[in-house]
Amino acid sequence: MKEIQIYNSYSGKKEIFKPIHEGRVGMYVCGPTVYSDVHLGNCRTFVGFDIIYRYLQHLGYKVRYVRNITDVGHLEGDADTGREDKISKKARLEQLEPMEIVQQYMNGFHEMMKIFNVLPPNIEPRATGHIIEQIEMVQAIIDNGLAYEQNGSVYFDTLKFAEKYGVYGKLSGRKIEDLLTETRDNLKNQDEKRHPSDFAIWIKAAPEHLMRWQAPWSVGFPGWHLECSAMSTKYLGEKFDIHGGGGDLKFPHHENEIAQNYGVCGHAPCNYWMHGNMLLLEGKKMSKSDGNSIMPGELFTGQSKHLTKAYSPMVVRFFMLQTHYRSTLDMTDDALQAAEKGYRRLMEGQKVLQELSHPGNGKAGDLDKEINSLIDLAFNDMSDDFNTPKALASLFELVTKINSLKGGQLSLGDVTAETLERLKQTFNDFIFDIFGLLTEDFASSGDGVVDGLMNLILEMRQTARTNKDWGTSDKIRDVLKELDIVVKDSKEGATWSKA
RNA sequence: GGUCGGUUGGCCGAGUGGCUAGGCAGAGGUCUGCAAAACCUCGUACAGCGGUUCGACUCCGCUACCGACCUCCA
């Protein structure tokens, strides 16, 4: 199997990927909290890990991909004062059952993932379905002396953890000494925690709190960080390969997750931590709570002050591929327009390629070699920490070759049949399997009537052209153009597409 | 304030101690009845100031600006 390198956020270095069990990968990615509609920033993370999932599978790994749904335990605002779970709050505001809220937004999330052609995970566990496991985990942490109970709530003892293992803060680059000195600044918070950095793993429910379960300490609900520890352990084991999520989850979420796993079994949950970078809008992180966000729906309709036109889901997906997952991506209308053109060029190249047929007796010269090395390069780039923009660059260079082969600037006689076949296979693999792009048929409305009419019109225009009746020919082209239909003439005849 | 990251041509975005990223836009050309498409050629970009080096956009330091995290966040 091809060797790949992964940037490990925990070590801060690229490392050669070695799965725990040969040929298999266990991957856990933090999913959304379903208390409102997903925005585009959320989508970027899941598209990013979708590509990783797809590429690992393409390489032949058997991947168990677990992505959770957070449907309880995610506290609003300051956990010390607010004490209200996001779902619960939304339910109260909207006078709905919490599960109704969860269902509504979970459905919306799934729909959006489908629109972006994000593959569903193998397991999509929900926090509320794993309360027992979480309670057991709390108990285990208490038994190991790393958590304490206070008035029915249970807190993780970060100081003890830091003393015992010395790793608290490593993922997010925090220093334990800083945590210690924090104490005096926080005396004002007359809360139940022994130390400000301690965090709740079980929370006693206030009387008005809707989501609640019976536990040894109180009737309450689990802390946010706990679910991921419990569910990843349940489905992937105490130690698995890759844990991913958005970069904004590093602290406190992932840091605390690591602490919890140590608290239960004395070691970290996974070997590789991967974090996707943020999607920016107007140079600032896209964030719902700051009001700086675009919803996918706004993008698809173009109904946003940030946009001049609508963009299709695949254009957006392509747009995301043009940037490495670890870089921030600034979304602008200009950039989307460029992506749209690029996406179409790539897909058109793919179409042209698949229509090429080899005349036989091709020779393996420089062109042949060049094509093969561009293909190799594309795979090597993907294997180097999933460098999609670089792989894409190679594909675009190949698109130029493909167009030249079609246009006659290059000859298929200089390419072997095997190479052409390999090229076709590579494009299919990359575009559909790895990048997960879908064809948006610009040359068809999906409506047989329109296609039929268009064929008729183009035939009539061809007749006019044959008779050198340029007036008629150009009129047809001009009128179609006003209808946003572009006619392209070539040696084989005219084709059309929507602008 | 603390920690970390970034600053690449008109725009978006890779990457490298000396060798073309790529996409979009722009200029010229080929093809074409014209146009579109396609193909070819082109701009010679790496925040600023120092340093290391035969050589730095790439390494080091300082400065400026931007961002992320330190609260809930993908």
Side-chain angles (χ1 to χ4, degrees):
Chain A
M1 208 172 289
K2 196 173 171 66
E3 184 175 282
I4 64 170
Q5 299 231 0
I6 289 181
Y7 179 87
N8 187 349
S9 310
Y10 197 72
S11 65
K13 287 196 291 253
K14 265 189 209 171
E15 298 172 7
I16 291 167
F17 177 64
K18 284 208 180 64
I20 295 167
H21 303 289
E22 199 177 330
R24 291 174 183 273
V25 178
M27 177 161 94
Y28 187 96
V29 172
C30 292
T33 303
V34 283
Y35 67 98
S36 68
D37 290 315
V38 285
H39 68 250
L40 219 56
N42 301 312
C43 295
R44 183 190 182 195
T45 298
F46 302 124
V47 166
F49 283 101
D50 185 50
I51 308 260
I52 289 164
Y53 175 45
R54 285 165 177 273
Y55 190 62
L56 290 171
Q57 289 192 116
H58 177 82
L59 291 178
Y61 285 106
K62 262 184 89 74
V63 185
R64 179 179 283 177
Y65 178 23
V66 180
R67 190 186 65 207
N68 69 299
I69 294 275
T70 297
D71 57 358
V72 68
H74 209 154
L75 294 173
E76 179 95 8
D78 183 355
D80 298 329
T81 55
R83 293 264 127 162
E84 186 160 31
D85 153 328
K86 283 195 173 189
I87 316 267
S88 212
K89 178 179 178 188
K90 186 91 175 180
R92 224 168 24 74
L93 292 174
E94 299 192 3
Q95 299 200 308
L96 295 168
E97 273 293 322
M99 275 299 141
E100 222 171 335
I101 297 290
V102 165
Q103 191 69 49
Q104 179 188 333
Y105 292 114
M106 190 172 69
N107 289 350
F109 170 66
H110 286 148
E111 201 180 312
M112 204 47 72
M113 290 299 101
K114 210 172 161 194
I115 287 174
F116 278 116
N117 201 27
V118 170
L119 295 172
N122 301 102
I123 301 175
E124 190 170 55
R126 290 164 61 173
T128 52
H130 300 77
I131 300 296
I132 291 169
E133 288 84 347
Q134 295 184 70
I135 289 172
E136 284 170 359
M137 200 164 242
V138 171
Q139 190 60 57
I141 298 171
I142 293 174
D143 291 347
N144 287 331
L146 288 172
Y148 55 89
E149 191 229 314
Q150 204 77 261
N151 301 326
S153 290
V154 181
Y155 296 95
F156 191 94
D157 193 327
T158 51
L159 283 194
K160 264 200 184 150
F161 172 63
E163 282 164 17
K164 187 165 177 190
Y165 294 104
V167 298
Y168 193 64
K170 181 164 182 218
L171 178 70
S172 55
R174 245 146 277 256
K175 292 200 181 70
I176 290 169
E177 302 86 75
D178 296 342
L179 292 173
L180 298 174
T181 53
E182 239 178 86
T183 317
R184 65 183 115 86
D185 304 331
N186 286 276
L187 285 174
K188 53 186 191 292
N189 283 349
Q190 31 149 324
D191 70 61
E192 297 165 341
K193 297 191 287 187
R194 289 180 190 163
H195 189 275
S197 65
D198 290 355
F199 56 93
I201 52 181
W202 185 263
I203 300 155
K204 182 181 177 180
E208 69 276 14
H209 199 92
L210 299 171
M211 300 182 101
R212 44 172 62 212
W213 290 267
Q214 180 68 54
W217 317 281
S218 66
V219 173
F221 57 99
W224 171 37
H225 316 298
L226 196 60
E227 55 167 298
C228 290
S229 289
M231 296 187 292
S232 67
T233 302
K234 174 161 181 173
Y235 298 111
L236 296 169
E238 288 187 348
K239 186 84 158 209
F240 53 96
D241 298 297
I242 299 171
H243 190 131
D248 49 359
L249 295 184
K250 266 191 189 173
F251 190 89
H253 185 55
H254 290 158
E255 200 70 76
N256 290 350
E257 220 183 301
I258 291 170
Q260 290 162 353
N261 281 68
Y262 268 95
V264 173
C265 53
H267 59 73
C270 65
N271 288 329
Y272 304 88
W273 281 92
M274 296 183 72
H275 291 93
N277 216 321
M278 299 294 105
L279 182 64
L280 270 40
L281 180 62
E282 317 260 289
K284 290 244 164 63
K285 177 183 167 185
M286 198 176 280
S287 160
K288 211 150 22 187
S289 48
D290 296 344
N292 189 238
S293 69
I294 284 192
M295 295 312 202
E298 295 176 308
L299 204 64
F300 305 152
T301 59
Q303 302 294 309
S304 165
K305 64 176 176 180
H306 304 287
L307 306 173
T308 60
K309 67 186 287 289
Y311 297 96
S312 76
M314 285 305 117
V315 166
V316 177
R317 190 168 167 119
F318 176 87
F319 171 68
M320 291 171 177
L321 288 171
Q322 282 185 303
T323 308
H324 189 84
Y325 75 91
R326 282 193 285 116
S327 298
T328 53
L329 169 57
D330 196 359
M331 189 156 100
T332 61
D333 194 63
D334 284 347
L336 282 167
Q337 285 196 28
E340 182 171 67
K341 297 253 177 70
Y343 165 70
R344 290 186 181 184
R345 179 172 161 81
L346 179 68
M347 298 309 273
E348 192 61 31
Q350 153 72 358
K351 203 173 137 198
V352 167
L353 169 63
Q354 300 304 330
E355 283 164 3
L356 290 179
S357 58
H358 200 274
N361 63 42
K363 60 176 190 283
D366 288 347
L367 177 62
D368 197 82
K369 209 180 289 172
E370 209 180 332
I371 289 175
N372 275 301
S373 57
L374 280 169
I375 292 173
D376 293 338
L377 194 59
F379 282 109
N380 290 342
D381 290 334
M382 273 309 282
S383 297
D384 180 13
D385 197 31
F386 311 97
N387 196 327
T388 54
K390 229 177 155 211
L392 215 41
S394 294
L395 293 193
F396 272 108
E397 295 207 38
L398 287 166
V399 165
T400 300
K401 304 270 179 250
I402 289 163
N403 286 330
S404 296
L405 285 169
K406 188 201 179 193
Q409 293 90 346
L410 292 174
S411 165
L412 275 168
D414 293 327
V415 179
T416 64
E418 293 72 45
T419 298
L420 182 64
E421 213 32 60
R422 186 181 180 217
L423 185 59
K424 287 185 179 182
Q425 186 64 45
T426 300
F427 264 63
N428 276 327
D429 287 351
F430 259 103
I431 291 176
F432 300 121
D433 295 349
I434 298 171
F435 289 160
L437 295 169
L438 296 171
T439 304
E440 280 174 358
D441 207 348
F442 299 104
S444 168
S445 58
D447 177 347
V449 175
V450 173
D451 289 347
L453 287 172
M454 280 307 301
N455 286 341
L456 176 65
I457 292 167
L458 290 182
E459 241 174 71
M460 291 168 74
R461 178 165 171 276
Q462 190 50 50
T463 307
R465 293 184 72 215
T466 309
N467 296 332
K468 297 205 194 301
D469 179 2
W470 309 127
T472 306
S473 162
D474 290 351
K475 184 176 180 190
I476 291 173
R477 190 171 64 198
D478 292 346
V479 172
L480 287 175
K481 192 173 181 188
E482 277 174 39
L483 298 170
D484 280 340
I485 291 173
V486 180
V487 177
K488 294 177 208 168
D489 293 316
S490 73
K491 283 178 231 152
E492 294 91 53
T495 57
W496 65 282
S497 63
K498 290 181 204 160

